[in-house]
Amino acid sequence: MNTKQKNMLSAEIVKKAILDSFIKLNPVVMMKNPVMFVVEAGTFVVLLMTLFPGYFGTEGRVGFNLAVFLILLFTVLFANFAEALAEGRGKAQADTLKKTKKEIMANKVIGNSVKVIPSTELRKGDVVIVSQGEMIPGDGEVIDGLASVDESAITGESAPVIKEAGGDFSSVTGGTRVVSDRITVRITSDPGESFIDRMIALVEGAKRQKTPNEIALNTLLVSLTLIFLIVVVTLAPMADYLGIKLEIPVLISLLVCLIPTTIGGLLSAIGIAGMDRVTRFNVLAMSGKAVEAAGDIDTMILDKTGTITFGNRMASEFIAVGDTTVETVAEWAAVSSVKDETPEGRSVLELMKKEGYTYPTNAAEGAEFIEFKAETRMSGIDLPNGRKVRKGAVDAVKAWVSAQGGVIPTDLEQKGNAIASEGGTPLAVAVDNRIYGLIYLKDTVKPGMRERFDQLRKMGIKTIMCTGDNPLTAATIAREAGVDDFIAESKPEDKIAVIKREQAAGKLVAMTGDGTNDAPALAQADVGLAMNSGTTAAKEAANMVDLDSDPSKIIEVVAIGKQLLMTRGALTTFSVANDIAKYFAIIPAMFMQAIPEMNVLNVMGLGSPMSAILSALVFNAIIIPLLIPLAMKGVAYKPMSSAQLLSRNLLIYGLGGVIAPFVGIKLIDMVVHLWV
């Protein structure tokens, strides 16, 4: 779903938003936004007074009442337009996704036979066979085979990806296409619950729930509205007691200018646009709360491999220990890697060919392959003759050899530390109770990572690198990358432990992951970003999924979350600051005829009481559409501390919010006064 190139405001989206602005005038819909509902109620009252002036005794004020009605109507329509525009962009993305949801025929396995059925009849647990050129009928996991899959319908990337049974790359998505080979897939979702279904619902906004901060701000806006409503209602009898006649349209105008209509009209649009920005960045947020939490992150936990480094650790050298020869180390390293399909395992065999070493290719016939596990941190092979070959982390292999009564070579630690001190990873190679040597695996830190971590530090975010490497290698990579802390020889439970430790200190934690063993930590983290290429368990545990499967994208996600919070805060500050100028426009206009001394508050020198009220109302209405682009695009974000951000926003949006209405209302009054 490559929506990044879409125009932010296409003509079709704008036309649909204009239509929806009128549809949203339905009071049942408007009640969801209490601030604008009050404005709509006031609009209706003024309309009645305009249509039936004799009944309300306002025959001489029909022109003024009509002007107030039209301005209030456009105020509500502009607020509806902002929300409809934000929703329209999401619905446009949903329409693109819906095109991928067409009827797919599935080859369902029933016993020893295969039956062709529509994909809508598939249920969780069903097994299907997908061959070259066929569409994958539903979300699932590959349980047999290996195939190249085109996921461009989801990710927008044209390059196919390899999916295979077992490991962290077994998850497949319905609507993607197999471009080579054949795989057997176990379906993991029922109809209507697939990954694409959830994406459609989320980007359409159909299931958008207000975030905690949004709810809190909405509560504040409602409270302010109630307070000003009480003030305006009690103002009429007080003015009447003083002999000042305040007409209802004037009081409604005062109320609309006092209540925070600007942020009330834009609040929902800001939330929807924040979700939209994340989606356009090819990240699927399961809720607005996840995006918001990303903006408040204090600690970020990152895997070393694939995130901080390129992750292509390749064998670059065989190193003998004790009295063993390099040729012998290479031979046993190759035997341990014959059935190892990991990039590291394949690189061992490639290094053998490059260096011209040989090994018995039939050595693994009838042997049992021992897969790598995070708990053992070793892999290997058990040969038919009873010999056991292992390769893995030095300390893990040492413990394995010691358990069998073996002797550890005296130069093993020194040579292993030498590799680690250069930022490499040493893998020990052992057969039965003897360690023969080391494999030097090289990895490279991605360019620019130090600068990115410096930016995070300026934001006040602590970075922790998790790696299975030994402490010396971890320290070298951590120093080169510029992270704040690291956890060496990390196991899945270590990630959960550090997350809980940081959360216990009152911090919000983000992390990335793609494997089943990452699922518990992803669920525990406040922001869990799973890779789309990862397992179903990881994606279900996380509250965000990166469709591009780029682990380092968590850094951008945090920036987007902070931008969302900044945008909401900046526009709230601007909205509240706006009211100051409106006080100086409307309050003197209401009272200066009866109390001439009030004219001293007419600092803007507005032409007349009626033009002052209308000018303030017009400004109050037009500021909403003027701020829509900012609400949609978001306030420009630069990495800096919270104190610096606060000072910057108060200066720009606080002071700017005070000055802009004085200038705007005065300019509008110069035009309105000619008519009034």
Side-chain angles (χ1 to χ4, degrees):
M1 181 190 57
N2 195 1
T3 57
K4 295 175 187 177
Q5 303 303 320
K6 278 192 177 181
N7 187 7
M8 188 179 89
L9 297 177
S10 68
E12 185 179 347
I13 291 176
V14 172
K15 288 178 184 177
K16 184 70 168 60
I18 291 173
L19 178 62
D20 286 345
S21 300
F22 287 90
I23 295 174
K24 287 177 177 287
L25 289 174
N26 183 342
V28 176
V29 177
M30 290 298 299
M31 287 180 70
K32 296 177 182 177
N33 187 340
V35 177
M36 299 315 299
F37 177 71
V38 169
V39 179
E40 185 180 47
T43 306
F44 181 70
V45 171
V46 178
L47 174 62
L48 293 177
M49 299 183 74
T50 305
L51 295 176
F52 308 103
Y55 183 81
F56 291 96
T58 56
E59 292 88 344
R61 291 296 189 93
V62 174
F64 175 77
N65 291 351
L66 178 61
V68 171
F69 162 71
L70 290 174
I71 297 170
L72 293 180
L73 176 62
F74 277 100
T75 302
V76 178
L77 288 174
F78 286 149
N80 289 349
F81 178 73
E83 184 177 37
L85 198 61
E87 290 175 347
R89 292 170 64 188
K91 288 175 181 176
Q93 294 182 56
D95 290 339
T96 302
L97 285 169
K98 285 175 182 176
K99 293 176 183 177
T100 68
K101 271 185 64 61
K102 51 191 176 185
E103 186 66 35
I104 301 173
M105 302 308 292
N107 303 311
K108 181 181 177 181
V109 177
I110 303 175
N112 295 323
S113 62
V114 176
K115 182 181 179 181
V116 180
I117 64 170
S119 59
T120 52
E121 296 181 14
L122 290 174
R123 295 294 182 272
K124 187 184 294 185
D126 287 345
V127 176
V128 297
I129 295 174
V130 191
S131 302
Q132 181 176 341
E134 294 179 343
M135 303 291 285
I136 296 174
D139 293 357
E141 288 191 309
V142 180
I143 58 175
D144 185 43
L146 176 149
S148 181
V149 178
D150 175 10
E151 294 188 327
S152 58
I154 305 297
T155 66
E157 297 295 331
S158 57
V161 294
I162 301 297
K163 297 291 183 177
E164 58 185 322
D168 293 341
F169 299 95
S170 60
S171 173
V172 291
T173 306
T176 56
R177 184 170 58 89
V178 173
V179 295
S180 72
D181 303 295
R182 167 175 148 160
I183 50 176
T184 302
V185 177
R186 180 184 290 112
I187 301 298
T188 56
S189 65
D190 290 326
E193 299 176 359
S194 70
F195 191 66
I196 290 182
D197 288 318
R198 284 190 291 163
M199 287 179 70
I200 291 171
L202 286 164
V203 298
E204 275 186 324
K207 293 187 178 180
R208 192 185 90 87
Q209 295 181 339
K210 290 185 177 180
T211 63
N213 282 350
E214 194 174 349
I215 292 171
L217 181 55
N218 200 54
T219 302
L220 173 63
L221 299 183
V222 171
S223 301
L224 288 174
T225 301
L226 288 173
I227 291 170
F228 285 124
L229 182 61
I230 294 170
V231 169
V232 171
V233 168
T234 57
L235 191 62
M238 290 172 61
D240 189 58
Y241 177 78
L242 296 172
I244 302 171
K245 179 66 175 176
L246 295 180
E247 297 181 359
I248 292 177
V250 174
L251 289 172
I252 291 175
S253 299
L254 174 63
L255 175 63
V256 170
C257 286
L258 291 180
I259 65 177
T261 50
T262 305
I263 187 61
L266 294 172
L267 184 59
S268 183
I270 293 169
I272 295 171
M275 290 277 289
D276 180 63
R277 279 195 296 276
V278 173
T279 306
R280 285 171 181 268
F281 207 67
N282 259 11
V283 173
L284 175 62
M286 300 306 177
S287 68
K289 183 179 179 181
V291 181
E292 205 170 71
D296 284 330
I297 286 300
D298 301 296
T299 304
M300 188 180 296
I301 298 174
L302 304 129
D303 276 326
K304 184 203 79 170
T305 307
T307 303
I308 296 173
T309 65
F310 282 106
N312 53 348
R313 297 190 307 174
M314 300 297 174
S316 62
E317 187 181 355
F318 298 115
I319 300 172
V321 296
D323 57 359
T324 311
T325 63
V326 174
E327 289 80 1
T328 305
V329 177
E331 178 183 337
W332 286 115
V335 171
S336 70
S337 304
V338 169
K339 292 189 175 183
D340 185 353
E341 294 299 323
T342 65
E344 292 89 348
R346 288 193 289 267
S347 72
V348 170
L349 300 182
E350 290 171 5
L351 181 61
M352 287 284 294
K353 294 177 184 177
K354 179 182 176 182
E355 298 292 337
Y357 297 130
T358 60
Y359 68 97
T361 54
N362 61 347
E365 290 182 6
E368 180 186 357
F369 176 60
I370 308 300
E371 290 187 8
F372 176 86
K373 292 183 179 179
E375 293 79 12
T376 62
R377 293 166 48 238
M378 292 189 302
S379 65
I381 195 167
D382 290 348
L383 302 175
N385 60 10
R387 303 201 74 178
K388 300 178 185 294
V389 186
R390 296 290 185 272
K391 73 172 187 290
V394 174
D395 62 327
V397 174
K398 282 170 62 177
W400 182 76
V401 168
S402 298
Q404 300 181 77
V407 178
I408 307 302
T410 55
D411 58 345
L412 175 66
E413 186 173 350
Q414 177 259 324
K415 290 184 176 180
N417 289 344
I419 294 172
S421 64
E422 296 176 8
T425 301
L427 292 185
V429 179
V431 182
D432 297 328
N433 62 352
R434 180 180 176 184
I435 297 178
Y436 282 81
L438 298 166
I439 304 171
Y440 183 170
L441 295 182
K442 273 189 176 178
D443 198 356
T444 309
V445 173
K446 292 180 179 179
M449 292 305 293
R450 173 173 286 277
E451 290 73 18
R452 298 180 84 179
F453 289 134
D454 285 341
Q455 289 180 351
L456 290 172
R457 203 169 290 111
K458 291 177 182 177
M459 298 180 200
I461 297 174
K462 177 183 178 182
T463 52
I464 301 175
M465 180 186 78
C466 286
T467 175
D469 291 333
N470 65 55
L472 196 53
T473 301
T476 302
I477 297 292
R479 186 168 55 254
E480 184 179 346
V483 295
D484 298 313
D485 200 359
F486 66 89
I487 301 173
E489 298 174 347
S490 171
K491 299 183 181 68
E493 55 268 28
D494 294 330
K495 294 179 182 178
I496 298 177
V498 71
I499 291 172
K500 289 183 176 179
R501 184 189 72 203
E502 293 293 315
Q503 289 173 333
K507 298 177 181 178
L508 294 183
V509 183
M511 78 156 286
T512 62
D514 59 3
T516 300
N517 61 352
D518 290 325
L522 287 169
Q524 180 67 38
D526 299 285
V527 176
L529 179 66
M531 303 298 102
N532 188 44
S533 61
T535 62
T536 300
K539 288 192 281 189
E540 289 181 347
N543 50 23
M544 289 188 181
V545 177
D546 176 21
L547 303 180
D548 295 329
S549 300
D550 176 8
S552 65
K553 197 181 285 186
I554 186 69
I555 298 172
E556 278 78 14
V557 169
V558 168
I560 292 172
K562 286 189 175 294
Q563 186 184 41
L564 169 63
L565 295 176
M566 277 179 52
T567 302
R568 188 182 295 150
L571 292 183
T572 301
T573 303
F574 186 87
S575 177
V576 173
N578 264 211
D579 289 344
I580 296 174
K582 297 172 193 173
Y583 301 154
F584 282 97
I586 291 189
I587 299 297
M590 293 173 64
F591 295 100
M592 64 185 178
Q593 286 186 341
I595 310 175
E597 292 81 3
M598 290 288 288
N599 193 50
V600 72
L601 295 178
N602 185 18
V603 295
M604 287 180 276
L606 302 180
S608 68
M610 293 302 100
S611 70
I613 293 171
L614 291 177
S615 298
L617 277 180
V618 169
F619 179 84
N620 192 65
I622 65 173
I623 197 65
I624 295 176
L626 290 177
L627 290 175
I628 287 176
L630 184 61
M632 301 285 278
K633 187 178 179 181
V635 173
Y637 174 70
K638 293 181 180 179
M640 59 181 72
S641 68
S642 298
Q644 289 174 314
L645 280 174
L646 179 61
S647 300
R648 176 174 174 267
N649 285 341
L650 284 175
L651 179 64
I652 296 174
Y653 298 100
L655 184 60
V658 172
I659 296 173
F662 278 96
V663 177
I665 292 173
K666 177 60 179 178
L667 292 175
I668 294 169
D669 180 74
M670 293 170 68
V671 177
V672 172
H673 180 59
L674 297 176
W675 172 67
V676 174

